[in-house]
Amino acid sequence: MPTLRNSVNAALTIGGLIIAFAGILFSEDKQAQIIAVLAGFLLIEIGVWGLANPFLPSHRKFSRLRDEVDAFIGNVRLMNAAKLRARHEPGPEHEAQVAQLLADLHRQVDRIGELAGQYDGGVQPVS
């Protein structure tokens, strides 16, 4: 699927260039030229930024594991901020937050271990 995504993004970018240039070269009407250029630039931006990707099929096989790892990384960031806050503003409320985040991270590691190797449709045997 990455090749499909790359092909669609490249086609949008090239198509946008063609529309923008064609609008300038083959139209006498200034309003039509402006519309063609704007439409072309819009397609170029969609292609360059990969804005069509959410509408294309996903190639991920372990999306539940990926979601859990993303949440884990988010909690690591929260842990870092909480530890910095606890260092600069000592107090029991900050220590309690750090302890809670640490417990959450341990639970997430356990869930990551459970989800590892499980395809989106369940566990598939190795062939």
Side-chain angles (χ1 to χ4, degrees), residues 16-30 32-34 36-37:
L17 284 169
I18 291 170
I19 289 172
F21 284 129
I24 293 170
L25 295 175
F26 301 119
S27 178
E28 297 292 325
D29 182 22
K30 294 292 182 194
Q33 287 179 341
I34 291 171
V37 168

Side-chain angles (χ1 to χ4, degrees), residues 28-100:
E28 297 292 325
D29 182 22
K30 294 292 182 194
Q31 187 176 9
Q33 287 179 341
I34 291 171
I35 290 172
V37 168
L38 289 175
F41 282 165
L42 180 64
L43 286 176
I44 291 169
E45 291 299 314
I46 290 171
V48 168
W49 289 99
L51 299 178
N53 289 347
F55 304 105
L56 299 172
S58 175
H59 65 282
R60 295 200 186 280
K61 297 178 185 175
F62 304 98
S63 62
R64 291 180 2 192
L65 177 62
R66 175 62 180 252
D67 292 342
E68 192 63 42
V69 169
D70 288 344
F72 180 83
I73 292 170
N75 274 345
V76 167
R77 290 181 179 130
L78 290 175
M79 170 66 84
N80 188 51
K83 289 289 266 190
L84 288 172
R85 218 173 9 259
R87 183 179 304 145
H88 295 295
E89 304 169 16
E93 66 278 353
H94 295 303
E95 293 302 324
Q97 183 183 19
V98 168
Q100 180 61 45

